[in-house]
Amino acid sequence: MREARVERATRETWVRLRLGLDGPSGGKVETGLPFLDHMLFQLQTHGRFLLEVEAKGDLEVDVHHLVEDVGIALGLALKEALGEGVGLERYGHAYAPMDETLVLCALDLSGRPHLEFRPEEWPVEGHAGGVNHYHLREFLRGLVSHAQITLHLRLLSGREAHHVIEASFKALARALYQATRITREDLPSSKGRL
């Protein structure tokens, strides 16, 4: 079973997360931030992952800490669940349209953390349930840094925050599903390690 459980506690947040790369998809999600729950359900559904998340954060201050720390916990769990990486497809990419919005996500389970995402270039208006595209960046930074993956996210069209953020999570989920499949018997690296 490619599965991991992570618990992370700070003065600002507490997160308990379980990730199963081979499903079954679903799991209880309760973060105290309904829009973040909705996005995590997108990871479950479109990534076909078992994802259980219980979290609490200082939402009276801002949503930033909770969103970021859930991303960190997911990154830690993904890194652990992937193990040595033997047999992985390694690369994944997906487009996700949502009405007027189109997002592209491409990633590499490389062992080298890099996020290519520039929210200041995205003409997104407002927020969705208190979450904006800058919070999306903090979620992705946590994920990328702790899972040690390379991730590129591009907004090809769209302006409405809810659609842009949701399409981003859907594209991420589909790219992660593709990259985490076991499709070979060896390590997917010409260097001999990820």
Side-chain angles (χ1 to χ4, degrees):
M1 287 288 287
R2 298 184 307 149
E3 189 173 300
R5 295 172 189 260
V6 170
E7 188 165 334
R8 175 180 165 81
T10 71
R11 291 183 186 159
E12 301 160 338
T13 65
W14 171 81
V15 180
R16 179 184 295 149
L17 187 146
R18 177 182 174 206
L19 175 66
L21 297 178
D22 302 311
S25 66
K28 185 176 178 181
V29 173
E30 289 184 354
T31 67
L33 183 58
F35 187 75
L36 179 58
D37 293 354
H38 182 50
M39 294 305 97
L40 296 173
F41 289 135
Q42 304 311 311
L43 290 177
Q44 285 178 342
T45 302
H46 299 285
R48 303 177 213 169
F49 300 126
L50 169 67
L51 180 61
E52 297 174 351
V53 182
E54 186 180 357
K56 296 176 184 173
D58 57 354
L59 295 176
E60 69 281 2
V61 174
D62 189 30
V63 304
H64 177 109
H65 299 140
L66 181 64
V67 172
E68 177 183 33
D69 283 11
V70 169
I72 289 170
L74 180 60
L76 291 167
L78 179 59
K79 178 73 175 161
E80 183 180 331
L82 288 172
E84 295 297 315
V86 174
L88 287 177
E89 178 62 26
R90 180 177 163 178
Y91 297 98
H93 68 279
Y95 288 92
M98 189 170 181
D99 299 335
E100 79 293 343
T101 298
L102 180 61
V103 173
L104 167 65
C105 178
L107 57 86
D108 177 7
L109 306 177
S110 62
R112 295 183 308 278
H114 180 80
L115 175 62
E116 194 61 37
F117 170 60
R118 297 186 180 118
E120 65 278 0
E121 296 175 2
W122 290 25
V124 178
E125 299 166 352
H127 62 85
V131 177
N132 63 37
H133 58 301
Y134 290 97
H135 298 125
L136 172 61
R137 176 185 60 195
E138 298 313 310
F139 177 91
L140 295 173
R141 275 185 182 164
L143 170 65
V144 163
S145 296
H146 292 82
Q148 297 183 328
I149 63 175
T150 295
L151 190 150
H152 290 250
L153 193 66
R154 295 284 186 268
L155 175 64
L156 304 176
S157 66
R159 298 181 69 86
E160 199 275 318
H162 187 132
H163 288 177
V164 167
I165 297 167
E166 186 167 337
S168 297
F169 270 87
K170 288 176 176 177
L172 171 62
R174 293 180 61 85
L176 276 171
Y177 178 80
Q178 186 180 61
T180 58
R181 295 310 86 200
I182 301 297
T183 60
R184 54 196 300 157
E185 294 183 13
D186 60 348
L187 193 65
S189 173
S190 58
K191 293 188 280 188
R193 69 174 298 171
L194 293 179

